[in-house]
Amino acid sequence: MRLEGKVAAVTGAANGIGKGIAFAMAREGASVAISDVDEAGARAAANEIAEETGVRTLGMKCDVTAATEIDAFVADAVQKLGRLDIMVANAGIAIGARAIDTTPEQWDQTMAINGRGVMLTDQAAARQMIAQGGGGSIIDLASIAALNGISPTLMAYCASKGAVAQLTKCFALDLAADRIRVNAIAPGLVDTDIWGKMFQAPGILDSGMREQMAQSVPLGRMAGPEDIARMAVFLSSDDSDYITGQIHVVDGGRTIGLPSGPARR
Ligand SMILES: NC(=O)c1ccc[n+]([C@@H]2O[C@H](COP(=O)([O-])OP(=O)(O)OC[C@H]3O[C@@H](n4cnc5c(N)ncnc54)[C@H](O)[C@@H]3O)[C@@H](O)[C@H]2O)c1
């Protein structure tokens, strides 16, 4: 098991990619601290992972926009699980709105969670890793939206993920001397609730677009959380100990171009 003896923490891990990452790290032997703004969901995910994998887990509320809550998350993880080796800044939202119609409130909310939340998470993790010594791995969830605009109806989201990509590189430079590696994962189209939350915005995305999205991926399908989790495990393990400050695209080929015909299944 590649993460035996390590302690990992994941924000926004009650659902979707974060939960998938927490599960994958637990299966590799890590103890896992899970937080989410949805406290019941975080506790349920922690219990499910403990039961299925046998590792020690912690589930608690943490709104990543609040520095005090992030600090409490790291402190509780260290107190209950012993140390902190891996932090995954995963919590994020996407609000569907045309660029021209995006309100200042939608922009601020997106930046608060996706931008400021990742900054605060990385800072809190880094402070703990520096204090305990021995290095660590921090992983930020960016998106292919950081590399090219994926939709005119996701302007604030695209901008926030661009911020994540750049702050990842700054943290990587700042923390390299402490042997703390900082990388970002840029997933393509992952089949999680984030899309359902956007579907609730009338006229922005509908279920027909789900099939279109799968067809737009050269490998012919949307990703599942487990596809992203495999990269997170690699970036947490010693197998990646010479890799820092990079944006790792996991997108089934989506950013290299569109398939020339219907993607083969
Ligand atoms: N699904 C995709 O296609 C996709 C693609 C690229 C990047 N991402 C990124 O991956 C990450 C996870 O997305 P997902 O698809 O699993 O979404 P999701 O909606 O399934 O899960 C996101 C989780 O974050 C939590 N959350 C929201 N606001 C929070 C806050 N203020 N504090 C703490 N937790 C909060 C939610 O409760 C939820 O459990 C996000 O950063 C997202 O932008 C997703």
Side-chain angles (χ1 to χ4, degrees):
M1 292 205 278
R2 286 182 287 171
L3 304 180
E4 189 98 56
K6 294 189 187 285
V7 176
V10 189
T11 67
N15 301 287
I17 294 171
K19 185 176 174 184
I21 289 173
F23 245 117
M25 291 187 174
R27 289 194 185 103
E28 291 289 343
S31 303
V32 185
I34 285 167
S35 68
D36 202 286
V37 71
D38 168 9
E39 181 173 10
R43 289 182 188 278
N47 289 338
E48 190 184 336
I49 290 171
E51 273 170 31
E52 192 168 307
T53 66
V55 305
R56 289 191 300 157
T57 65
L58 159 73
M60 64 183 281
K61 176 180 183 275
C62 170
D63 180 338
V64 295
T65 63
T68 51
E69 295 196 21
I70 286 284
D71 290 345
F73 177 44
V74 170
D76 276 26
V78 171
Q79 194 204 345
K80 299 202 171 102
L81 303 176
R83 53 184 290 112
L84 183 68
D85 303 292
I86 300 156
M87 172 61 87
V88 185
N90 166 79
I93 61 162
I95 300 173
R98 279 188 61 190
I100 197 168
D101 296 330
T102 298
T103 65
E105 291 75 21
Q106 289 171 327
W107 172 271
D108 288 347
Q109 190 188 358
T110 305
M111 288 297 173
I113 297 172
N114 295 7
R116 171 190 159 104
V118 172
M119 175 193 74
L120 292 174
T121 304
D122 289 7
Q123 288 176 336
R127 282 194 292 266
Q128 172 59 31
M129 290 170 181
I130 290 168
Q132 74 191 15
S137 174
I138 297 174
I139 300 167
D140 298 330
L141 265 291
S143 166
I144 58 169
L147 308 173
N148 49 18
I150 57 167
S151 166
T153 59
L154 285 172
M155 180 270 290
Y157 180 81
C158 294
S160 73
K161 293 301 183 179
V164 171
Q166 291 305 94
L167 74 81
T168 297
K169 296 173 196 172
C170 295
F171 272 100
L173 283 174
D174 195 24
L175 299 173
D178 297 292
R179 293 202 297 117
I180 299 168
R181 299 182 296 105
V182 188
N183 288 283
I185 301 177
L189 309 173
V190 191
D191 199 349
T192 70
D193 288 350
I194 207 167
W195 297 100
K197 290 166 193 165
M198 282 186 285
F199 293 155
Q200 287 164 17
I204 300 297
L205 290 170
D206 60 31
S207 56
M209 276 192 78
R210 187 179 292 260
E211 183 56 26
Q212 275 182 28
M213 287 193 289
Q215 289 291 335
S216 75
V217 178
L219 287 181
R221 64 172 176 87
M222 293 179 78
E226 64 283 358
D227 294 302
I228 313 307
R230 279 193 287 274
M231 177 61 84
V233 167
F234 169 68
L235 292 173
S236 309
S237 75
D238 293 342
D239 291 342
S240 60
D241 68 359
Y242 197 60
I243 300 174
T244 195
Q246 304 303 309
I247 315 300
H248 304 271
V249 176
V250 182
D251 72 345
R254 180 67 181 79
T255 46
I256 55 173
L258 295 171
S260 58
R264 284 186 288 273
R265 303 286 161 128

